[in-house]
Amino acid sequence: AAEARRGCDLLYNNGVLWVEEAVPRVLTEALVRLVDEKMQNKDGNQYFTVQYFKNREDMALDWEAQPVRDVTMYAIKFLSPVLEELLGAEARLVEFSCLISHPGARAQPAHADCS
């Protein structure tokens, strides 16, 4: 309970929460393969505007893809004490994407994507 409270405080105050090892490596590796495949077969419809856009892309991920579902469900289960306290039990996930920084990309500060 104390860790969840600390996570809530960090997320609420900073708009971002860094959690290491929240998802097993095998699941993240499957998601990385999916992202790599999408990078090879770009159609331009899955990209969003990003801060410091040079050498950086924000790619939408398809909820129907199994690696996306696996990683998301595992992360939600792991983070549910924090998410439920801050957002309530009926919160909805409205976007799932990945930020890809290529060599030469300028570092961007940690920030919330919405206000």
Side-chain angles (χ1 to χ4, degrees):
E3 286 183 0
R5 179 71 255 150
R6 184 171 174 341
C8 289
D9 291 344
L10 286 169
L11 187 56
Y12 183 79
N13 292 325
N14 301 316
V16 64
L17 176 64
W18 180 275
V19 180
E20 292 191 29
E21 301 179 12
V23 178
R25 180 179 294 272
V26 66
L27 297 181
T28 58
E29 287 172 346
L31 185 57
V32 166
R33 285 191 298 275
L34 176 73
V35 169
D36 286 346
E37 289 171 15
K38 287 182 66 122
M39 292 293 296
Q40 298 300 318
N41 303 306
K42 294 180 187 179
D43 67 9
N45 293 325
Q46 70 260 7
Y47 292 92
F48 302 105
T49 304
V50 295
Q51 188 179 49
Y52 307 135
F53 61 87
K54 186 177 179 183
N55 298 322
R56 181 173 286 114
E57 302 169 89
D58 185 9
M59 181 190 308
L61 297 174
D62 180 6
W63 176 249
E64 299 302 319
Q66 194 63 49
V68 173
R69 292 179 82 87
D70 290 345
V71 166
T72 304
M73 297 309 294
Y74 200 97
I76 288 172
K77 184 177 177 181
F78 184 85
L79 296 169
S80 64
V82 172
L83 297 173
E84 283 188 29
E85 184 169 331
L86 286 175
L87 306 174
E90 300 299 318
R92 296 182 327 162
L93 176 66
V94 296
E95 177 188 321
F96 192 85
S97 64
C98 60
L99 185 63
I100 302 157
S101 296
H102 300 287
R106 183 175 157 197
Q108 65 177 0
H111 64 280
D113 281 344
C114 60
S115 56

